[in-house]
Amino acid sequence: RRQRQMCIRDREHSVKFNFFVVNGNSYLEAVFEDSDHRSSLRLEGEGVSITNKNPLVFFDKDYSDVHPDIIALACLCIFYPFIGKEVTFPKPVTERIAVSINRPIFTKSKTITVRNINRDLNSYQGEFGEILAFGGGMDSSAIRATFPEAHIVHEASIKNGFLVKDLTNDLTARLEKKSRATLVRTNSRFISDPGGWHVWTGSIVTSLLEAGKRRAKYIYSGTILGSAFMSNGSKFFDRHSSVKWHGISGNYWQQIFWDIGLPLVQPLMGCSEILTMKATVKKLRQEEVFYCTKLDGDACGRCPKCFRRRCISDYVLAQQSDFSVFDNTEVHQVLNKRPLYFGHIYSALMANGWAPPSFIKEKIDFLPRYDFALKYYEGSLEFIPEELRSKVHDVLSSEFEPMTAKNVEQMKSWDQSNF
């Protein structure tokens, strides 16, 4: 009886994945060996409780020839919170992926045994350039502007059978006709309740699969200084030291991509939102950048995200906007919260002479006037694959000014709990 109970417990913590293609559409299916094992916590944000409602994910493209490790990583990025002690991927994988997901930073929460490893399987080898995981916002648009050779991939989300309104879908479709982009429709963002990606790399899955299909060497994503080094503006994060437990990419989830041979690269991670807006304004039409989708897929013009973008655009375009529309409860809640979200942005703007309206100034006046966010951090190049560094360095140097030693000191001392 005890042996039977142990077997039942083992089954309760196992997931098997199936992969198949029907009529040009690819499907990933999670088979839970216990129907109750469908609730968990989202790995992102505050770790809200999520319940899987649909174990079948579809993509409207044929990915039948994609390397098994890439298919397995797609399974992990979508379903990781629901995977327990054991996992069986659709096809046998290399040992690389099993080792990667069982590094110490992962095993703090759980150890996963991969049931089907093929030690004779050759690892993935990219051949043909870069894929851009394109969200349509300022940051990925800046990569589109500064690295135009990267092939754009945008995920069009399906929710309850209907396409979610997103103007980036239309832009990508237009670029697709010129063979510069691919629009992939999928329900992966809305298979659980509440909806959303379970792990931040969930937003990269369509680009991951398309990169595998195209035999790409790299995937580019739009992570910026505030996310990579500034803990969203609250405190400097020493990513250089983090490699000891995260891996050479500086992030443990990002590291899996590197480990299987398809590095996820963030070429503008040393640049703030101020610089990414400079790049987009300089090279792209304004109507091709969508940083808010609240108003039928377009910017609402009154939310906290629109507010921050307006502050930045006033500086970049040397204009003075009417901010009265932002004197609302939602914006005030963000400005009143401590640490102030992306506070280093307002600090840099004020250091360069920006004079916000009084209702804004009284809430952000506690910030020091540091201007490091007006320049790019050269130390970020350490997190670019060696063979790409000189290319990324040349692009950054041609577009932006590097931080001085004083700027770097300001950035590394940034800690809102001390202001």
Side-chain angles (χ1 to χ4, degrees), residues 267-296:
L268 299 184
M269 66 190 300
C271 301
S272 71
E273 290 177 301
I274 300 171
L275 300 189
T276 58
M277 182 174 284
K278 277 188 175 182
T280 55
V281 165
K282 182 178 178 181
K283 299 188 176 183
L284 298 178
R285 294 195 298 270
Q286 186 175 354
E287 63 270 19
E288 293 185 349
V289 183
F290 312 102
Y291 47 83
C292 168
T293 58
K294 286 187 174 182
L295 189 62
D296 289 332

Side-chain angles (χ1 to χ4, degrees), residues 6 59 82 148 162 165 169 194 210 240 244 255 305 325:
M6 289 176 65
F59 307 89
F82 305 107
F162 296 95
K165 282 192 175 182
N169 294 344
E210 197 64 29
H240 302 279
K244 298 170 187 174
Q255 188 63 41
K305 181 178 283 189
V325 69

Side-chain angles (χ1 to χ4, degrees), residues 176-248:
E176 190 169 32
K177 291 179 180 178
K178 301 176 183 178
S179 300
R180 293 166 53 192
T182 300
L183 185 67
V184 183
R185 296 165 183 83
T186 177
N187 65 334
S188 66
R189 190 178 179 184
F190 295 103
I191 59 169
S192 296
D193 184 22
W197 292 296
H198 307 145
V199 184
W200 72 270
T201 50
S203 63
I204 310 291
V205 168
T206 48
S207 298
L208 170 68
L209 294 171
E210 197 64 29
K213 179 178 180 178
R214 293 172 176 271
R215 305 292 191 271
K217 287 186 175 181
Y218 311 102
I219 300 173
Y220 288 166
S221 72
T223 299
I224 53 173
L225 184 77
S227 303
F229 293 99
M230 300 301 297
S231 306
N232 293 334
S234 62
K235 182 180 180 180
F236 174 72
F237 170 64
D238 189 352
R239 196 176 177 110
H240 302 279
S241 294
S242 77
V243 299
K244 298 170 187 174
W245 58 92
H246 282 259
I248 59 174

